[in-house]
Amino acid sequence: SMDKKYEQTFVNIAILDNIIEAQLVDSILKEHDIPHRIRSFHDTAYDGLFQFQMGWGALWAPASSKAEILEILHDVRSKDFDNFEER
């Protein structure tokens, strides 16, 4: 099917550390119209097995967007998350 072909163009770009990082990267990539999928290890066949060793989840996208996405991820990780939520 077309869907299957579309899926196969996605490669594993990066491992995301936590939900906040995932949400931030997701919203930035949407703003840039970069196709991507974010899968938490809990939502997949991994069944949470690798969650503690490997981070929160995986970011998948076309290989052609890898450099741009890694740059965005680097920017997100440079920010100070301690004050992310106002208390």
Side-chain angles (χ1 to χ4, degrees):
S1 74
M2 290 281 289
D3 262 5
K4 191 84 182 154
K5 202 164 182 183
Y6 180 71
E7 273 290 340
Q8 285 167 354
T9 65
F10 279 60
V11 298
N12 190 339
I13 303 283
I15 299 295
L16 298 170
D17 293 335
N18 54 62
I19 184 84
I20 293 176
E21 186 172 278
Q23 288 170 342
L24 279 170
V25 170
D26 183 50
S27 65
I28 294 166
L29 294 181
K30 280 179 178 151
E31 276 172 36
H32 287 73
D33 286 322
I34 298 171
H36 64 284
R37 290 245 161 71
I38 291 175
R39 295 206 173 108
S40 128
F41 291 134
H42 274 314
D43 296 342
T44 67
Y46 293 123
D47 209 18
L49 190 65
F50 298 117
Q51 189 116 19
F52 297 111
Q53 298 172 330
M54 293 176 59
W56 176 86
L59 170 61
W60 296 76
S64 56
S65 299
K66 182 169 185 171
E68 189 178 1
I69 291 172
L70 290 178
E71 204 172 308
I72 288 167
L73 186 58
H74 176 75
D75 289 347
V76 165
R77 286 178 172 168
S78 313
K79 307 264 186 287
D80 180 5
F81 283 126
D82 290 340
N83 302 313
F84 191 70
E85 272 184 39
E86 302 270 38
R87 300 222 183 280

